[in-house]
Amino acid sequence: MCQSVAESYAGKSIFVTGCTGFLGKVLLEKILYSCSDVKKIYILLRGKRGLTVQERLKTMLELPVFSRLNRENAKFIDKIEPIVGDVSQEGLGISPEDKVTLINEVSYVFHSAALIKFIEPLHNLLNINVKGTERVLSLCKCMKKLEVLVHVSTVYSNTHKIFIEEKVYPSPIPLSMVDHLIKEQPDEERTKTIIRDEPNAYTFSKKLGEALLAEKHGHVPVIIIRPSIVTASLSEPIPGWIDNWNGATGLIGTTSKGILRVVSGNGRNVLDLIPVDYVVNLTIVAATKKILPQSVKVYACATSTEKPLTLRDLLNLTTISRKRNKFNELPCPSVYFTNSKFLLVFLSAVLQTSPLTLADALLRISGKDPKYRKILRRIEQVRDVLQIFTTNSWKFSTINNYCLFSSLSPSDQKTFPFSPSLINWSEYIPIYFDGMVKYLFKKNPVSSALP
C-alpha cells in the first residue's frame, strides 16, 4: 500500500526559503497542519528593520494565516527552527554550525525565495533569482538525506510560445554570462537589449533559474513548480487570505474603487489566476513522488487550459461583490479595454485623470488632503507593468498536474486539492474579493462570502 502524503513527511526534516513571502507563509502553515508528524522545519530568515530572526518569526506566527494552528496545536512552534541567512549572500550567509545541521538532517528542500518585483534592476534579480537558486542547489548537493529539491518558478518564465509545456526550455543567454551581468549592473536600455523578447527582467531571471537547475543539478532530483498569478486562498488556511497587492489584486481593487478605468488589452483575453492554497498543495504533494536523481520534473499550476477566466468575466464577477460591499469611492466605475496606445492615453485623460483631478479639488474644498492623482500615478505604473499579461493569452499544459492528482488516494485528494478543474470562479471570486476587503482594507465584508 502506498504511503499517504502526510506519512511521507513523518519523522523527516525540511528546509524552506522564502517563508516570509505570501506563498511561503501558506506553505509553512499547511505542512505543519496537514503533515504534523514532520520532525523539524528549518526556515531561512534574515534580520530586518532591527528585528532578530526570532522576533521576526514571532511576529509572523501571530498573523491570521497561522490562526488555526495557534488555535488547534499551540506546540507547532517547537517544530520550527529559524536559520540566519540570506539567498543573496554567498553560501546563503549560513553559519558553519547551521550548515552542518542542514547537511545532516534535511530530507526535503523547498526553495520559494525570490525577488518578484517587475521593476527592479536586472543585476539584483539575477543575484537573487538565479545565483540564489544556485546557492541553494550547492547546499543541496552536500545534504546526506536529501530526497528532492522543489523550486518555485512561474508559468510566465516561458512566454515565447502560445502553448507552454511542462518542461524546461533553453536558456536565452549562456549561464556563464550571469556573473558578468551582476558585476556590470546594466542600465534600463542595456537590460532591454539583454532580455530581448522576454516580458520583463523578472520573468527573464526565472527562466534562467530553471535553466540553471536543469544544467547543474547533478545528482540532486529537482522538481519545478510553475504557478500562474497567485491569488487569495480558496479555503486554506482561511478562505480569502491575502497579504499583498501584487498581480491581479491591485487590478481588482483599483477598478472596483473606480480609480482605474482604462486597461490595455481585450476583455476576451484570459487572465490566469490560481489560489495560493492550490499552489502550496501541489508543491507539498509533488515532493513526495520519487523521481530519478538525474531528473527534472515540471508541474504547472494554472487554469487557462482547464478553467479559463477572461478579463471581462473576472470584472463582471468582481462587480457583483463590489456592489454588495458598496465598495467604490468614485461613481459609476467601469473598465474600458483598448489595444490602441493613442486610445489608452486619450481615454485615460478623459476617464481617469480629469475626474480624479476634480475629486481632489473637492477634497481640498472640504478641507481634506487630495489623494486620487497620487494614487493614480502609482496605479498607472502598475497597469503598464502588467500590460503584457492583459494584452496576451497563453495556454499552459497541466498534464503532469493532472496525472499527479489522479494518482492520489481520495483522502489525499481531499486534504491536498490542487487540480485546476476543481475551481468554480463564481464561488471563488467573491471569496477572493471579500478577502481583499478584510485583510488588505481591514474592513468587514458586507454579506460576506467568507465563512
Side-chain angles (χ1 to χ4, degrees), residues 385-404:
V385 168
L386 293 175
Q387 180 176 337
I388 185 72
F389 305 106
T390 58
T391 56
N392 291 278
S393 288
W394 293 275
K395 284 189 177 295
F396 306 102
S397 171
T398 51
I399 188 66
N400 289 346
N401 180 311
Y402 171 83
C403 292
L404 179 61

Side-chain angles (χ1 to χ4, degrees), residues 353-369:
T353 307
S354 296
L356 293 178
T357 301
L358 177 60
D360 275 344
L362 293 173
L363 286 175
R364 286 192 187 93
I365 291 170
S366 62
K368 298 177 182 178
D369 291 331

Side-chain angles (χ1 to χ4, degrees), residues 434-450:
D434 288 355
M436 177 186 70
V437 173
K438 183 173 183 178
Y439 298 111
L440 297 181
F441 284 96
K442 310 297 182 185
K443 296 181 179 179
N444 290 322
V446 177
S447 302
S448 178
L450 303 181

Side-chain angles (χ1 to χ4, degrees), residues 31-42:
I31 294 172
L32 288 164
Y33 187 81
S34 295
C35 306
S36 56
D37 288 332
V38 65
K39 181 180 179 183
K40 185 74 75 173
I41 302 181
Y42 299 96

Side-chain angles (χ1 to χ4, degrees), residues 30-222:
K30 179 62 174 178
I31 294 172
L32 288 164
Y33 187 81
S34 295
C35 306
S36 56
D37 288 332
V38 65
K39 181 180 179 183
K40 185 74 75 173
I41 302 181
Y42 299 96
I43 63 174
L44 191 71
L45 280 177
R46 55 190 172 91
K48 191 175 183 182
R49 299 190 186 98
L51 298 176
T52 65
V53 292
Q54 287 79 12
E55 289 169 334
R56 284 194 76 192
L57 177 60
K58 181 177 183 296
T59 301
M60 183 177 76
L61 296 179
E62 291 171 353
L63 294 171
V65 68
F66 295 99
S67 57
R68 68 174 177 177
L69 274 175
N70 283 308
R71 186 173 60 247
E72 298 178 31
N73 181 17
K75 291 185 178 180
F76 76 91
I77 193 169
D78 296 337
K79 303 227 174 183
I80 304 174
E81 187 71 36
I83 299 288
V84 178
D86 188 337
V87 294
S88 69
Q89 304 297 316
E90 289 305 316
L92 300 175
I94 296 174
S95 72
E97 295 80 13
D98 285 338
K99 183 176 181 181
V100 169
T101 299
L102 296 175
I103 287 172
N104 289 329
E105 296 296 328
V106 170
S107 297
Y108 295 97
V109 174
F110 295 104
H111 176 45
S112 68
L115 192 57
I116 61 172
K117 296 178 182 177
F118 293 170
I119 306 175
E120 183 74 23
L122 178 61
H123 63 276
N124 288 346
L125 287 160
L126 293 178
N127 183 42
I128 293 176
N129 296 349
V130 184
K131 294 299 290 185
T133 300
E134 186 173 32
R135 292 168 191 132
V136 172
L137 177 62
S138 295
L139 178 60
C140 288
K141 288 180 177 179
C142 301
M143 290 178 173
K144 298 176 181 179
K145 298 180 180 179
L146 184 72
E147 296 187 25
V148 70
L149 162 61
V150 183
H151 170 71
V152 180
S153 184
T154 171
V155 291
Y156 298 106
S157 59
N158 299 283
T159 55
H160 59 294
K161 294 176 176 288
I162 298 299
F163 182 76
I164 293 95
E165 298 176 69
E166 291 168 293
K167 67 179 185 180
V168 178
Y169 288 87
S171 173
I173 61 170
L175 292 172
S176 57
M177 286 182 62
V178 172
D179 287 330
H180 169 74
L181 291 173
I182 291 173
K183 292 177 182 177
E184 179 190 339
Q185 298 190 7
D187 60 19
E188 190 174 340
E189 286 304 312
R190 169 86 170 117
T191 296
K192 289 179 182 178
T193 302
I194 295 166
I195 70 173
R196 289 178 289 188
D197 297 330
E198 298 297 325
N200 51 59
Y202 163 72
T203 59
F204 177 79
S205 70
K206 296 299 280 186
K207 186 170 189 171
L208 285 177
E210 289 188 9
L212 180 141
L213 287 171
E215 183 176 312
K216 298 187 176 184
H217 71 97
H219 66 276
V220 175
V222 171

